[in-house]
């Protein structure tokens, strides 16, 4: 770079580098070949992929397969492609601006809005954590016959696992996460191979069609539209955008060299897309499991307990090979092991994300073990209450209550998703934030806006039904369920306009202070 030229992007940190202890902690030599360099950059994508195969995804995908066959395979595929696009933008924002999404949003919004956004994102993380607590506690109960209440308390002790991981280095954490992902992938691959699915129908299901979002046929209370919304909602998670914008900065990058920044963006994108492809296969295998492993209507109870029991019953298997293995208990045991792995993976990523948003939005630092302990204790409370209230009921009632709690907690994810997607797209579209070299290409911008508008619309559309269903079940009446749900929708839309206004104002102020950023290009940085 010629003398006198400014760095590519040099924003002022909101409160120091994101996840300062691991930021730029891994060096990648420049003289390595493609595959060796890709291996060095691999890891952050695996931590992101964990969010796309956490316990909250399992029930929606398997139930979708049971109810509608391979019809919703295209929804799994489209959700995965949207996830790749959003995660690419999140990683690029972190690498180029040297700020994570929380820091970048807080730098361009007022104090009050910053606190509101922090609370919304914390609620989403805790909602995810509830699913992890339930999944972890149930897997311990199924594998070791530990009572549910004790299992819930044991999940709090995963803070000790986190302390150990903090000592061994971030690269080893990435390797551990990859190993756990492979366990999950292999478990469901084994089940799918045994089930001998109709691969022609599987491939045909990957082609989008109007029937994917139809309001008929009705299977129980579900339609293809509600099934599709469930899969989309369980797949695209807001906390993953914050996570990726931070951990993409773990590789050392010379931000005074535009080519080195481009190299980091390129290999980080490769890593993310490869890992999210694995996540797509896991979710596809889950849906195929619902179709090809169990007979039609064979799963009466879609909770984790119900799926575990179904995998032990030879009479609901679709072929003799599956029936034989089911009798041995191997299928159900592997399912519980995969559930435990999924919960532990999500523990690692959930804690890192919590630290990112706390430091980014409210500039508060807290040791990871303390952050994990506080979040997990809060998340354990509703699970313990649910278990205690149903302790005198039948096992099926207890299982159903836990499953309902997990499903209802996912409403917060739909609630929070627009508040991370919209700012991410706006900032990565801007040459002021990203320079002309790294702002979104036209095709990325078009696909991004179509995806974001579609996801916001679908989430807002499904929110009234989800909330109304919960209110009706708890209050046993319908008079105020939908009005309450629509009021919440209006509040979400109002908050979105507030976010857009603050981002626009912050963007103008930043542009006035740094008029030359938009003119930067690869040509004049050499």
């Amino acid at each position: 770079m010629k003398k006198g030229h400014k760095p590519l992007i040099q924003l002022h940190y909101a409160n120091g580098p994101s996840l300062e202890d691991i930021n730029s902690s891994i060096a990648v030599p420049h003289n390595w070949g493609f595959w060796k360099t890709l291996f060095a950059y691999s890891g952050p994508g695996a931590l992101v992929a964990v969010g796309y195969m956490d316990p909250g995804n399992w029930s929606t995908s398997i139930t979708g397969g049971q109810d509608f066959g391979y019809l919703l395979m295209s929804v799994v595929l489209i959700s995965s492609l949207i996830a790749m696009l959003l995660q690419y933008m999140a990683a690029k924002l972190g690498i180029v601006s040297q700020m994570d999404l929380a820091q970048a949003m807080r730098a361009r919004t007022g104090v009050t809005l910053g606190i509101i956004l922090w609370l919304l994102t914390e609620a989403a993380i805790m909602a995810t954590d509830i699913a992890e607590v339930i999944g972890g506690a149930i897997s311990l109960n199924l594998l070791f016959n530990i009572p549910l209440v004790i299992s819930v308390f044991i999940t709090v002790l995963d803070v000790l696992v986190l302390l150990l991981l903090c000592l061994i280095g971030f690269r080893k954490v990435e390797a551990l996460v990859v190993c756990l992902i492979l366990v999950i992938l292999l478990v469901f691959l084994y089940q799918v191979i045994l089930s001998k699915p109709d691969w022609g129908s599987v491939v045909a299901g990957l082609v989008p069609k109007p029937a994917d979002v139809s309001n008929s046929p009705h299977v129980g209370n579900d339609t293809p539209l509600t099934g599709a919304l469930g899969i989309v909602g369980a797949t695209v998670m807001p906390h993953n955008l914050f996570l990726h914008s931070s951990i993409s900065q773990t590789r050392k990058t010379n931000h005074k060299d535009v080519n080195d920044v481009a190299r980091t963006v390129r290999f980080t994108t490769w890593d993310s897309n490869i890992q999210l492809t694995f996540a797509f296969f896991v979710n596809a295998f889950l849906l195929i499991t619902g179709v090809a492993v169990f007979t039609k209507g064979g799963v009466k109870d879609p909770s984790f307990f119900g799926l575990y029991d179904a995998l032990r019953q030879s009479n609901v298997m679709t072929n003799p090979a599956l029936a034989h293995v089911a009798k041995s208990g191997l299928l159900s045991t592997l399912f519980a092991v995969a559930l435990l792995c999924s919960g532990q993976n999500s523990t690692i990523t959930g804690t890192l994300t919590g630290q990112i948003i706390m430091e980014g939005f409210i500039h508060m630092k807290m040791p990871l073990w303390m952050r994990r302990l506080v979040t997990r204790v809060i998340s354990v409370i509703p699970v313990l209450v649910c278990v205690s209230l149903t302790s005198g009921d039948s096992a099926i009632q207890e299982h159903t209550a836990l499953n309902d709690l997990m499903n209802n907690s996912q409403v917060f994810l739909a609630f929070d998703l627009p508040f991370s997607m919209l700012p991410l797209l706006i900032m990565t579209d801007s040459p002021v934030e990203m320079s002309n070299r790294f702002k979104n290409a036209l095709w990325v911008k078009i696909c991004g806006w179509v995806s974001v508008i579609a996801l916001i619309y679908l989430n807002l559309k499904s929110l009234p039904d989800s909330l109304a269903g919960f209110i009706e079940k708890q209050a046993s009446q319908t008079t105020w369920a939908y009005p309450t749900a629509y009021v919440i929708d209006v509040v979400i839309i109002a908050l979105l306009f507030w976010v857009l206004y603050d981002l626009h104002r912050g963007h103008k102020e930043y542009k006035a202070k740094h008029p030359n950023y938009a003119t930067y290009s690869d040509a004049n940085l050499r």
Side-chain angles (χ1 to χ4, degrees), residues 228-382:
L229 291 173
I231 290 173
V232 171
T235 302
V236 184
M237 303 262 185
H239 66 279
N240 268 342
L241 304 179
F242 293 95
L243 176 66
H244 207 187
S245 65
S246 177
I247 60 175
S248 61
Q249 301 177 53
T250 54
R251 272 55 179 176
K252 285 184 179 178
T253 304
N254 179 8
H255 284 85
K256 295 182 179 181
D257 182 355
V258 67
N259 293 317
D260 198 37
V261 175
R263 171 178 178 257
T264 301
V265 171
R266 174 174 163 241
F267 279 102
T268 300
T269 303
W270 270 101
D271 168 48
S272 174
N273 288 344
I274 289 171
Q275 303 292 351
L276 288 175
T277 299
F278 283 123
F280 160 72
F281 280 114
V282 169
N283 286 311
F285 291 159
L286 284 166
L287 191 140
I288 294 171
T289 295
V291 183
V293 172
F294 304 108
T295 56
K296 183 72 173 178
V299 180
K300 305 297 183 184
D301 177 5
S303 71
F304 294 135
F305 287 106
L307 293 170
Y308 179 85
D309 289 339
L311 287 167
R312 297 166 65 91
Q313 298 174 21
S314 58
N315 61 308
V316 299
M317 298 292 109
T318 55
N319 64 54
L322 278 169
H324 176 73
V325 180
K327 284 181 181 178
S328 70
L330 179 61
L331 291 181
S332 56
T333 300
L334 288 176
F335 175 83
V337 169
L339 184 60
L340 184 61
C341 291
S342 178
Q344 287 306 306
N345 258 349
S346 298
T347 288
I348 299 169
T349 59
T351 305
L352 290 173
T353 308
Q355 191 73 7
I356 291 163
I357 66 163
M358 182 177 285
E359 292 180 5
F361 280 125
I362 61 173
H363 301 176
M364 178 180 176
K365 290 184 179 289
M366 181 184 290
L368 278 179
W369 66 269
M370 185 182 297
R371 161 76 208 187
R372 185 59 190 164
L373 188 61
V374 170
T375 305
R376 181 48 63 96
V377 168
I378 294 173
S379 301
V380 156
I381 292 172

Side-chain angles (χ1 to χ4, degrees), residues 88 92 428-429 438-447:
Y88 157 71
K92 184 173 67 171
T428 53
D429 276 348
F438 293 106
K439 69 177 182 180
N440 290 335
L442 180 60
W443 73 269
V444 173
K445 184 182 297 187
I446 293 172
C447 292

Side-chain angles (χ1 to χ4, degrees), residues 447-462:
C447 292
W449 277 107
V450 169
S451 301
V452 167
I453 291 171
L455 285 174
I456 290 174
Y457 169 75
L458 290 173
N459 278 295
L460 290 178
K461 182 179 180 180
S462 64

Side-chain angles (χ1 to χ4, degrees), residues 10-16 97-99 103 107-108 510 514 517:
Q10 195 62 52
L11 302 183
H12 295 290
Y13 293 122
N15 58 324
S97 73
Q98 303 173 67
M99 300 175 77
Q103 290 176 324
R108 288 153 184 79
Y510 188 80
H514 305 84
Y517 276 108

